[in-house]
Structures are given as structure tokens and as C-alpha cells.
């Protein structure tokens, strides 16, 4: 029996179209974070944990902090480049519209 009083229960007919793009985005984001974690673990282990440091936790903390700071700087540069490219494309489209119309 249906919760709202109907006779038969309806089976879902596929993914909800509202969330169709979100699932792919979430999967891509998860893959990105997994890759980031693996790179941090590998790089910092080679630099800190494999050597004899007095305070390995502090060394690893610094390494992770520097790695994430570097990633943040690279992300900021890429974001600026993408914004400049989008502005250039928009200006180009406006020129094409003016010439064509």
C-alpha cells in the first residue's frame, strides 16, 4: 500500500533529473580529493617520514601545509587564467554579433 493512500507503489524510473549532473560532479570531486591525498601522502612520506626527524609529526604537518598552500596558489592562478579566457571569449562573441548583425 502506498503511503499516500494509492493502490500500487510506483517503482523509480531512473535517476532524478535534478540530481543527474550533481552525481557526476561529486564523483569527479571525490576523485580529485583522492588524487590530492595520494600525492600529499607520497610526497610528504618521502620528504619527512622516511628520514630520521626528531619530531616527525611536526615535519609532516609542515609538509602538508606547504603542499596545500602550493595547491591553493596554483588554483588561484588557474582561476584568473580561466576568467581572462572567459572575458576574451565574451568579447569575441560580442564582436561577432556586431559584425554579423
Amino acid at each position: 500500500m502506498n503511503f499516500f493512500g494509492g493502490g500500487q507503489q510506483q517503482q523509480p524510473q531512473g535517476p532524478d533529473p535534478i540530481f543527474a549532473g550533481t552525481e557526476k560532479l561529486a564523483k569527479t570531486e571525490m576523485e580529485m580529493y583522492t588524487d590530492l591525498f595520494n600525492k600529499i601522502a607520497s610526497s610528504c612520506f618521502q620528504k619527512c617520514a622516511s628520514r630520521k626527524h626528531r619530531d616527525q609529526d611536526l615535519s609532516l604537518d609542515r609538509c602538508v601545509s606547504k603542499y596545500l598552500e602550493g595547491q591553493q596558489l596554483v588554483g588561484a592562478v588557474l582561476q584568473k587564467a580561466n576568467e581572462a579566457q572567459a572575458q576574451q571569449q565574451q568579447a569575441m562573441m560580442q564582436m561577432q554579433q556586431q559584425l554579423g548583425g
Side-chain angles (χ1 to χ4, degrees), residues 10-72:
Q10 293 182 355
Q11 295 295 324
Q13 301 200 4
D16 189 350
I18 295 173
F19 298 111
T22 308
E23 183 178 324
K24 185 176 181 180
L25 194 67
K27 183 179 179 184
T28 303
E29 187 175 6
M30 188 64 183
E31 289 172 355
M32 181 189 71
Y33 281 121
T34 301
D35 185 50
L36 177 64
F37 174 79
N38 288 336
K39 286 180 180 179
I40 289 173
S42 174
S43 176
C44 292
F45 182 79
Q46 288 175 357
K47 292 178 183 178
C48 301
S50 62
R51 297 179 184 163
K52 299 290 182 189
H53 286 282
R54 282 183 276 156
D55 192 1
Q56 286 184 351
D57 290 338
L58 182 60
S59 179
L60 287 171
D61 186 46
R62 286 181 184 159
C63 181
V64 169
S65 177
K66 287 179 182 179
Y67 195 94
L68 291 175
E69 185 178 323
Q71 289 292 320
Q72 187 177 20

Short mmCIF file of all heavy atoms in Angstrom, two decimals, residues 10-72:
data_model
loop_
_atom_site.label_atom_id
_atom_site.label_comp_id
_atom_site.label_asym_id
_atom_site.label_seq_id
_atom_site.Cartn_x
_atom_site.Cartn_y
_atom_site.Cartn_z
N GLN A 10 4.77 2.86 -6.99
CA GLN A 10 5.46 3.07 -8.26
C GLN A 10 6.95 2.88 -8.04
O GLN A 10 7.51 3.35 -7.05
CB GLN A 10 5.21 4.48 -8.78
CG GLN A 10 3.78 4.71 -9.18
CD GLN A 10 3.59 6.10 -9.75
OE1 GLN A 10 4.50 6.91 -9.75
NE2 GLN A 10 2.39 6.37 -10.23
N GLN A 11 7.56 2.18 -8.97
CA GLN A 11 9.00 1.96 -8.93
C GLN A 11 9.70 3.19 -9.49
O GLN A 11 9.20 3.83 -10.43
CB GLN A 11 9.38 0.72 -9.75
CG GLN A 11 8.82 -0.57 -9.19
CD GLN A 11 9.39 -0.90 -7.83
OE1 GLN A 11 10.55 -0.65 -7.57
NE2 GLN A 11 8.57 -1.46 -6.97
N PRO A 12 10.84 3.55 -8.96
CA PRO A 12 11.58 4.68 -9.53
C PRO A 12 11.92 4.41 -10.99
O PRO A 12 12.22 3.29 -11.36
CB PRO A 12 12.85 4.77 -8.69
CG PRO A 12 12.69 3.83 -7.56
CD PRO A 12 11.51 2.96 -7.83
N GLN A 13 11.87 5.44 -11.80
CA GLN A 13 12.07 5.26 -13.23
C GLN A 13 13.42 5.77 -13.69
O GLN A 13 13.57 6.18 -14.82
CB GLN A 13 10.94 5.96 -13.98
CG GLN A 13 9.61 5.40 -13.58
CD GLN A 13 8.55 5.72 -14.62
OE1 GLN A 13 8.83 6.29 -15.64
NE2 GLN A 13 7.34 5.32 -14.32
N GLY A 14 14.40 5.75 -12.86
CA GLY A 14 15.73 6.21 -13.23
C GLY A 14 16.18 7.32 -12.30
O GLY A 14 15.48 7.70 -11.38
N PRO A 15 17.35 7.85 -12.58
CA PRO A 15 17.86 8.90 -11.70
C PRO A 15 17.02 10.16 -11.82
O PRO A 15 16.47 10.48 -12.86
CB PRO A 15 19.28 9.13 -12.20
CG PRO A 15 19.33 8.56 -13.56
CD PRO A 15 18.27 7.51 -13.63
N ASP A 16 16.95 10.85 -10.71
CA ASP A 16 16.21 12.11 -10.67
C ASP A 16 16.94 13.11 -11.55
O ASP A 16 18.13 13.36 -11.36
CB ASP A 16 16.16 12.61 -9.22
CG ASP A 16 15.22 13.78 -9.03
OD1 ASP A 16 14.77 14.33 -10.05
OD2 ASP A 16 14.97 14.14 -7.87
N PRO A 17 16.26 13.70 -12.53
CA PRO A 17 16.96 14.62 -13.44
C PRO A 17 17.54 15.85 -12.75
O PRO A 17 18.48 16.45 -13.24
CB PRO A 17 15.87 15.03 -14.44
CG PRO A 17 14.58 14.61 -13.86
CD PRO A 17 14.87 13.56 -12.84
N ILE A 18 17.00 16.21 -11.62
CA ILE A 18 17.52 17.36 -10.88
C ILE A 18 18.93 17.08 -10.39
O ILE A 18 19.79 17.95 -10.38
CB ILE A 18 16.60 17.71 -9.70
CG1 ILE A 18 15.25 18.18 -10.23
CG2 ILE A 18 17.23 18.77 -8.81
CD1 ILE A 18 14.21 18.40 -9.16
N PHE A 19 19.19 15.83 -9.98
CA PHE A 19 20.47 15.48 -9.40
C PHE A 19 21.39 14.75 -10.38
O PHE A 19 22.45 14.28 -10.00
CB PHE A 19 20.28 14.62 -8.16
CG PHE A 19 19.52 15.32 -7.07
CD1 PHE A 19 18.24 14.92 -6.74
CD2 PHE A 19 20.07 16.39 -6.40
CE1 PHE A 19 17.53 15.57 -5.74
CE2 PHE A 19 19.37 17.05 -5.41
CZ PHE A 19 18.10 16.64 -5.08
N ALA A 20 21.02 14.66 -11.65
CA ALA A 20 21.82 13.90 -12.62
C ALA A 20 23.22 14.47 -12.77
O ALA A 20 24.21 13.75 -12.76
CB ALA A 20 21.11 13.86 -13.96
N GLY A 21 23.37 15.76 -12.91
CA GLY A 21 24.69 16.37 -13.06
C GLY A 21 25.46 16.42 -11.77
O GLY A 21 26.69 16.39 -11.75
N THR A 22 24.76 16.46 -10.65
CA THR A 22 25.40 16.57 -9.35
C THR A 22 26.18 15.31 -9.02
O THR A 22 27.26 15.38 -8.44
CB THR A 22 24.34 16.83 -8.26
OG1 THR A 22 23.54 17.93 -8.65
CG2 THR A 22 24.98 17.12 -6.93
N GLU A 23 25.66 14.16 -9.40
CA GLU A 23 26.33 12.90 -9.10
C GLU A 23 27.68 12.82 -9.82
O GLU A 23 28.68 12.45 -9.22
CB GLU A 23 25.45 11.72 -9.53
CG GLU A 23 26.03 10.37 -9.19
CD GLU A 23 25.11 9.24 -9.58
OE1 GLU A 23 23.88 9.38 -9.46
OE2 GLU A 23 25.63 8.21 -10.01
N LYS A 24 27.70 13.21 -11.08
CA LYS A 24 28.95 13.18 -11.84
C LYS A 24 29.94 14.18 -11.25
O LYS A 24 31.12 13.90 -11.12
CB LYS A 24 28.67 13.51 -13.30
CG LYS A 24 29.89 13.38 -14.17
CD LYS A 24 29.55 13.62 -15.63
CE LYS A 24 30.78 13.46 -16.49
NZ LYS A 24 30.50 13.68 -17.90
N LEU A 25 29.45 15.35 -10.86
CA LEU A 25 30.30 16.37 -10.26
C LEU A 25 30.89 15.88 -8.93
O LEU A 25 32.07 16.07 -8.67
CB LEU A 25 29.48 17.64 -10.03
CG LEU A 25 30.25 18.90 -9.72
CD1 LEU A 25 31.07 19.33 -10.94
CD2 LEU A 25 29.29 20.01 -9.34
N ALA A 26 30.06 15.23 -8.13
CA ALA A 26 30.53 14.70 -6.84
C ALA A 26 31.58 13.61 -7.05
O ALA A 26 32.57 13.55 -6.31
CB ALA A 26 29.35 14.17 -6.04
N LYS A 27 31.38 12.78 -8.04
CA LYS A 27 32.34 11.71 -8.32
C LYS A 27 33.68 12.30 -8.77
O LYS A 27 34.74 11.87 -8.30
CB LYS A 27 31.80 10.78 -9.41
CG LYS A 27 32.70 9.62 -9.72
CD LYS A 27 32.11 8.72 -10.77
CE LYS A 27 33.07 7.58 -11.07
NZ LYS A 27 32.60 6.71 -12.13
N THR A 28 33.63 13.31 -9.63
CA THR A 28 34.85 13.96 -10.08
C THR A 28 35.57 14.64 -8.93
O THR A 28 36.80 14.55 -8.81
CB THR A 28 34.52 15.01 -11.17
OG1 THR A 28 33.83 14.34 -12.24
CG2 THR A 28 35.76 15.68 -11.70
N GLU A 29 34.81 15.29 -8.06
CA GLU A 29 35.40 15.96 -6.91
C GLU A 29 36.05 14.94 -5.97
O GLU A 29 37.14 15.17 -5.45
CB GLU A 29 34.34 16.76 -6.16
CG GLU A 29 34.91 17.61 -5.07
CD GLU A 29 33.85 18.50 -4.41
OE1 GLU A 29 32.67 18.38 -4.73
OE2 GLU A 29 34.25 19.31 -3.56
N MET A 30 35.39 13.81 -5.77
CA MET A 30 35.95 12.77 -4.90
C MET A 30 37.24 12.21 -5.49
O MET A 30 38.21 11.96 -4.76
CB MET A 30 34.92 11.66 -4.69
CG MET A 30 35.32 10.67 -3.67
SD MET A 30 35.45 11.48 -2.08
CE MET A 30 36.01 10.14 -1.08
N GLU A 31 37.27 12.01 -6.80
CA GLU A 31 38.48 11.53 -7.45
C GLU A 31 39.62 12.54 -7.30
O GLU A 31 40.76 12.17 -7.08
CB GLU A 31 38.22 11.25 -8.93
CG GLU A 31 37.36 10.03 -9.16
CD GLU A 31 36.94 9.87 -10.61
OE1 GLU A 31 37.24 10.76 -11.45
OE2 GLU A 31 36.30 8.84 -10.92
N MET A 32 39.28 13.84 -7.41
CA MET A 32 40.27 14.88 -7.25
C MET A 32 40.86 14.87 -5.85
O MET A 32 42.07 14.96 -5.67
CB MET A 32 39.64 16.25 -7.55
CG MET A 32 40.61 17.40 -7.43
SD MET A 32 39.83 19.00 -7.52
CE MET A 32 38.96 19.04 -5.96
N TYR A 33 40.00 14.77 -4.82
CA TYR A 33 40.49 14.75 -3.45
C TYR A 33 41.29 13.49 -3.15
O TYR A 33 42.28 13.54 -2.41
CB TYR A 33 39.35 14.89 -2.45
CG TYR A 33 38.88 16.32 -2.30
CD1 TYR A 33 37.57 16.68 -2.58
CD2 TYR A 33 39.74 17.32 -1.89
CE1 TYR A 33 37.14 17.99 -2.45
CE2 TYR A 33 39.33 18.63 -1.76
CZ TYR A 33 38.03 18.95 -2.04
OH TYR A 33 37.61 20.25 -1.91
N THR A 34 40.91 12.36 -3.72
CA THR A 34 41.66 11.13 -3.54
C THR A 34 43.05 11.27 -4.14
O THR A 34 44.05 10.88 -3.54
CB THR A 34 40.92 9.95 -4.18
OG1 THR A 34 39.63 9.83 -3.57
CG2 THR A 34 41.68 8.65 -4.01
N ASP A 35 43.11 11.85 -5.35
CA ASP A 35 44.39 12.07 -6.00
C ASP A 35 45.26 13.02 -5.18
O ASP A 35 46.46 12.79 -4.99
CB ASP A 35 44.16 12.62 -7.41
CG ASP A 35 45.45 12.77 -8.20
OD1 ASP A 35 46.23 11.79 -8.25
OD2 ASP A 35 45.67 13.85 -8.76
N LEU A 36 44.66 14.10 -4.68
CA LEU A 36 45.39 15.06 -3.85
C LEU A 36 45.94 14.38 -2.60
O LEU A 36 47.11 14.55 -2.25
CB LEU A 36 44.48 16.23 -3.45
CG LEU A 36 45.08 17.28 -2.53
CD1 LEU A 36 46.23 18.01 -3.22
CD2 LEU A 36 44.02 18.26 -2.10
N PHE A 37 45.12 13.58 -1.93
CA PHE A 37 45.57 12.88 -0.73
C PHE A 37 46.73 11.94 -1.05
O PHE A 37 47.73 11.91 -0.31
CB PHE A 37 44.42 12.09 -0.11
CG PHE A 37 44.86 11.24 1.05
CD1 PHE A 37 45.05 11.81 2.31
CD2 PHE A 37 45.10 9.89 0.90
CE1 PHE A 37 45.48 11.04 3.38
CE2 PHE A 37 45.51 9.11 1.96
CZ PHE A 37 45.69 9.68 3.20
N ASN A 38 46.62 11.19 -2.14
CA ASN A 38 47.69 10.26 -2.51
C ASN A 38 48.99 10.99 -2.82
O ASN A 38 50.07 10.53 -2.44
CB ASN A 38 47.26 9.40 -3.70
CG ASN A 38 46.20 8.39 -3.32
OD1 ASN A 38 46.08 7.99 -2.16
ND2 ASN A 38 45.41 7.97 -4.29
N LYS A 39 48.90 12.13 -3.50
CA LYS A 39 50.11 12.90 -3.81
C LYS A 39 50.74 13.46 -2.54
O LYS A 39 51.95 13.45 -2.38
CB LYS A 39 49.78 14.03 -4.78
CG LYS A 39 49.54 13.53 -6.20
CD LYS A 39 49.22 14.68 -7.13
CE LYS A 39 48.97 14.18 -8.53
NZ LYS A 39 48.62 15.29 -9.44
N ILE A 40 49.91 13.97 -1.64
CA ILE A 40 50.43 14.51 -0.38
C ILE A 40 51.09 13.40 0.43
O ILE A 40 52.20 13.56 0.94
CB ILE A 40 49.31 15.17 0.46
CG1 ILE A 40 48.88 16.48 -0.19
CG2 ILE A 40 49.77 15.42 1.88
CD1 ILE A 40 47.67 17.12 0.47
N ALA A 41 50.42 12.28 0.53
CA ALA A 41 50.96 11.16 1.32
C ALA A 41 52.29 10.69 0.76
O ALA A 41 53.26 10.50 1.50
CB ALA A 41 49.96 10.01 1.36
N SER A 42 52.37 10.55 -0.55
CA SER A 42 53.60 10.09 -1.17
C SER A 42 54.73 11.11 -1.01
O SER A 42 55.83 10.77 -0.59
CB SER A 42 53.35 9.82 -2.66
OG SER A 42 54.54 9.50 -3.31
N SER A 43 54.44 12.36 -1.35
CA SER A 43 55.47 13.40 -1.29
C SER A 43 55.97 13.63 0.13
O SER A 43 57.18 13.67 0.38
CB SER A 43 54.90 14.70 -1.86
OG SER A 43 55.83 15.74 -1.74
N CYS A 44 55.06 13.78 1.06
CA CYS A 44 55.46 14.07 2.43
C CYS A 44 56.12 12.87 3.10
O CYS A 44 57.01 13.04 3.92
CB CYS A 44 54.26 14.57 3.24
SG CYS A 44 53.71 16.21 2.68
N PHE A 45 55.71 11.68 2.75
CA PHE A 45 56.36 10.50 3.32
C PHE A 45 57.81 10.43 2.86
O PHE A 45 58.71 10.17 3.65
CB PHE A 45 55.63 9.22 2.94
CG PHE A 45 56.24 8.00 3.56
CD1 PHE A 45 55.98 7.67 4.87
CD2 PHE A 45 57.10 7.19 2.83
CE1 PHE A 45 56.55 6.55 5.46
CE2 PHE A 45 57.68 6.07 3.41
CZ PHE A 45 57.41 5.75 4.72
N GLN A 46 58.04 10.69 1.58
CA GLN A 46 59.40 10.66 1.05
C GLN A 46 60.27 11.73 1.71
O GLN A 46 61.44 11.51 1.98
CB GLN A 46 59.40 10.86 -0.46
CG GLN A 46 58.89 9.69 -1.23
CD GLN A 46 58.80 9.97 -2.72
OE1 GLN A 46 59.08 11.07 -3.17
NE2 GLN A 46 58.41 8.96 -3.48
N LYS A 47 59.70 12.92 1.96
CA LYS A 47 60.47 14.03 2.49
C LYS A 47 60.67 13.95 4.00
O LYS A 47 61.68 14.40 4.52
CB LYS A 47 59.81 15.36 2.14
CG LYS A 47 59.85 15.66 0.67
CD LYS A 47 59.13 16.96 0.37
CE LYS A 47 59.11 17.22 -1.12
NZ LYS A 47 58.38 18.43 -1.46
N CYS A 48 59.69 13.43 4.72
CA CYS A 48 59.71 13.54 6.18
C CYS A 48 59.78 12.20 6.90
O CYS A 48 60.66 11.97 7.72
CB CYS A 48 58.48 14.29 6.67
SG CYS A 48 58.34 15.94 5.98
N ALA A 49 58.84 11.34 6.62
CA ALA A 49 58.70 10.12 7.41
C ALA A 49 59.81 9.12 7.12
O ALA A 49 60.20 8.35 8.00
CB ALA A 49 57.35 9.48 7.16
N SER A 50 60.32 9.12 5.91
CA SER A 50 61.36 8.15 5.60
C SER A 50 62.71 8.56 6.18
O SER A 50 63.60 7.74 6.32
CB SER A 50 61.46 7.98 4.08
OG SER A 50 61.84 9.20 3.47
N ARG A 51 62.87 9.83 6.54
CA ARG A 51 64.11 10.32 7.15
C ARG A 51 63.96 10.31 8.67
O ARG A 51 62.86 10.29 9.20
CB ARG A 51 64.42 11.72 6.66
CG ARG A 51 64.66 11.77 5.17
CD ARG A 51 64.95 13.17 4.74
NE ARG A 51 65.07 13.21 3.28
CZ ARG A 51 65.00 14.31 2.58
NH1 ARG A 51 64.82 15.47 3.19
NH2 ARG A 51 65.12 14.28 1.28
N LYS A 52 65.06 10.39 9.31
CA LYS A 52 65.04 10.40 10.77
C LYS A 52 64.92 11.83 11.28
O LYS A 52 65.88 12.58 11.34
CB LYS A 52 66.31 9.75 11.34
CG LYS A 52 66.50 8.32 10.94
CD LYS A 52 65.47 7.44 11.62
CE LYS A 52 65.73 6.00 11.22
NZ LYS A 52 64.69 5.12 11.64
N HIS A 53 63.71 12.23 11.60
CA HIS A 53 63.47 13.55 12.18
C HIS A 53 63.14 13.37 13.66
O HIS A 53 62.54 12.37 14.05
CB HIS A 53 62.29 14.27 11.49
CG HIS A 53 62.63 14.78 10.13
ND1 HIS A 53 63.34 15.93 9.93
CD2 HIS A 53 62.34 14.30 8.90
CE1 HIS A 53 63.48 16.15 8.63
NE2 HIS A 53 62.88 15.17 7.99
N ARG A 54 63.50 14.35 14.44
CA ARG A 54 63.18 14.27 15.86
C ARG A 54 61.67 14.31 16.07
O ARG A 54 61.12 13.60 16.87
CB ARG A 54 63.84 15.40 16.64
CG ARG A 54 65.31 15.15 16.89
CD ARG A 54 65.91 16.25 17.71
NE ARG A 54 66.26 17.32 16.76
CZ ARG A 54 66.38 18.59 17.07
NH1 ARG A 54 66.18 18.99 18.31
NH2 ARG A 54 66.72 19.48 16.17
N ASP A 55 61.01 15.19 15.34
CA ASP A 55 59.57 15.35 15.51
C ASP A 55 58.90 15.13 14.15
O ASP A 55 58.65 16.07 13.40
CB ASP A 55 59.25 16.74 16.06
CG ASP A 55 57.82 16.87 16.53
OD1 ASP A 55 57.08 15.87 16.45
OD2 ASP A 55 57.46 17.96 16.99
N GLN A 56 58.60 13.88 13.83
CA GLN A 56 58.03 13.55 12.53
C GLN A 56 56.64 14.16 12.34
O GLN A 56 56.29 14.57 11.25
CB GLN A 56 57.95 12.04 12.35
CG GLN A 56 59.28 11.40 12.08
CD GLN A 56 59.18 9.91 11.81
OE1 GLN A 56 58.11 9.32 11.99
NE2 GLN A 56 60.26 9.30 11.39
N ASP A 57 55.85 14.24 13.41
CA ASP A 57 54.51 14.82 13.29
C ASP A 57 54.57 16.27 12.86
O ASP A 57 53.82 16.71 11.99
CB ASP A 57 53.74 14.70 14.61
CG ASP A 57 53.36 13.27 14.93
OD1 ASP A 57 53.31 12.45 13.99
OD2 ASP A 57 53.10 12.99 16.11
N LEU A 58 55.47 17.03 13.45
CA LEU A 58 55.62 18.44 13.09
C LEU A 58 56.11 18.57 11.65
O LEU A 58 55.63 19.42 10.90
CB LEU A 58 56.59 19.12 14.05
CG LEU A 58 56.83 20.61 13.83
CD1 LEU A 58 55.51 21.38 13.96
CD2 LEU A 58 57.84 21.14 14.83
N SER A 59 57.05 17.73 11.28
CA SER A 59 57.58 17.76 9.92
C SER A 59 56.48 17.44 8.90
O SER A 59 56.36 18.10 7.88
CB SER A 59 58.73 16.76 9.78
OG SER A 59 59.23 16.75 8.47
N LEU A 60 55.69 16.42 9.18
CA LEU A 60 54.59 16.05 8.28
C LEU A 60 53.54 17.16 8.22
O LEU A 60 53.01 17.46 7.16
CB LEU A 60 53.94 14.74 8.72
CG LEU A 60 54.76 13.48 8.45
CD1 LEU A 60 54.14 12.27 9.13
CD2 LEU A 60 54.89 13.26 6.96
N ASP A 61 53.27 17.77 9.36
CA ASP A 61 52.29 18.87 9.39
C ASP A 61 52.75 20.02 8.52
O ASP A 61 51.97 20.59 7.75
CB ASP A 61 52.07 19.32 10.83
CG ASP A 61 50.97 20.34 10.95
OD1 ASP A 61 49.90 20.12 10.36
OD2 ASP A 61 51.17 21.36 11.65
N ARG A 62 54.01 20.37 8.62
CA ARG A 62 54.56 21.45 7.79
C ARG A 62 54.52 21.08 6.31
O ARG A 62 54.21 21.91 5.46
CB ARG A 62 56.00 21.75 8.20
CG ARG A 62 56.11 22.48 9.50
CD ARG A 62 57.55 22.76 9.82
NE ARG A 62 57.68 23.40 11.12
CZ ARG A 62 58.77 23.41 11.84
NH1 ARG A 62 59.86 22.80 11.40
NH2 ARG A 62 58.80 24.01 13.01
N CYS A 63 54.86 19.85 6.01
CA CYS A 63 54.88 19.40 4.62
C CYS A 63 53.48 19.48 4.01
O CYS A 63 53.30 20.01 2.92
CB CYS A 63 55.40 17.97 4.54
SG CYS A 63 55.49 17.31 2.86
N VAL A 64 52.48 18.99 4.72
CA VAL A 64 51.10 19.03 4.23
C VAL A 64 50.65 20.47 4.07
O VAL A 64 50.02 20.84 3.07
CB VAL A 64 50.16 18.24 5.17
CG1 VAL A 64 48.71 18.49 4.82
CG2 VAL A 64 50.49 16.76 5.12
N SER A 65 50.99 21.30 5.04
CA SER A 65 50.61 22.71 4.97
C SER A 65 51.22 23.39 3.74
O SER A 65 50.53 24.11 3.01
CB SER A 65 51.06 23.43 6.24
OG SER A 65 50.76 24.79 6.18
N LYS A 66 52.48 23.14 3.49
CA LYS A 66 53.15 23.74 2.32
C LYS A 66 52.54 23.20 1.02
O LYS A 66 52.36 23.95 0.05
CB LYS A 66 54.65 23.44 2.35
CG LYS A 66 55.39 24.23 3.39
CD LYS A 66 56.87 23.87 3.38
CE LYS A 66 57.62 24.61 4.46
NZ LYS A 66 59.05 24.25 4.47
N TYR A 67 52.24 21.92 0.99
CA TYR A 67 51.67 21.31 -0.21
C TYR A 67 50.30 21.93 -0.52
O TYR A 67 50.02 22.31 -1.65
CB TYR A 67 51.54 19.80 -0.03
CG TYR A 67 51.32 19.05 -1.32
CD1 TYR A 67 52.39 18.52 -2.02
CD2 TYR A 67 50.04 18.89 -1.85
CE1 TYR A 67 52.20 17.83 -3.21
CE2 TYR A 67 49.85 18.21 -3.04
CZ TYR A 67 50.93 17.68 -3.71
OH TYR A 67 50.74 17.02 -4.89
N LEU A 68 49.48 22.06 0.51
CA LEU A 68 48.15 22.64 0.31
C LEU A 68 48.23 24.12 -0.07
O LEU A 68 47.44 24.61 -0.88
CB LEU A 68 47.29 22.45 1.56
CG LEU A 68 46.88 21.01 1.85
CD1 LEU A 68 46.13 20.93 3.17
CD2 LEU A 68 46.03 20.45 0.72
N GLU A 69 49.19 24.83 0.51
CA GLU A 69 49.38 26.24 0.16
C GLU A 69 49.78 26.36 -1.31
O GLU A 69 49.27 27.23 -2.04
CB GLU A 69 50.45 26.85 1.05
CG GLU A 69 50.63 28.34 0.86
CD GLU A 69 51.68 28.91 1.81
OE1 GLU A 69 51.75 28.46 2.96
OE2 GLU A 69 52.41 29.81 1.38
N GLY A 70 50.65 25.49 -1.76
CA GLY A 70 51.05 25.48 -3.17
C GLY A 70 49.87 25.18 -4.08
O GLY A 70 49.70 25.83 -5.12
N GLN A 71 49.06 24.21 -3.70
CA GLN A 71 47.87 23.88 -4.48
C GLN A 71 46.91 25.06 -4.56
O GLN A 71 46.30 25.33 -5.60
CB GLN A 71 47.15 22.66 -3.88
CG GLN A 71 47.88 21.35 -4.08
CD GLN A 71 47.90 20.94 -5.52
OE1 GLN A 71 46.93 21.08 -6.24
NE2 GLN A 71 49.04 20.41 -5.97
N GLN A 72 46.77 25.77 -3.46
CA GLN A 72 45.89 26.94 -3.41
C GLN A 72 46.40 28.04 -4.34
O GLN A 72 45.62 28.67 -5.05
CB GLN A 72 45.77 27.45 -1.98
CG GLN A 72 44.75 28.54 -1.80
CD GLN A 72 44.62 28.97 -0.35
OE1 GLN A 72 45.52 28.74 0.46
NE2 GLN A 72 43.51 29.57 -0.02
#
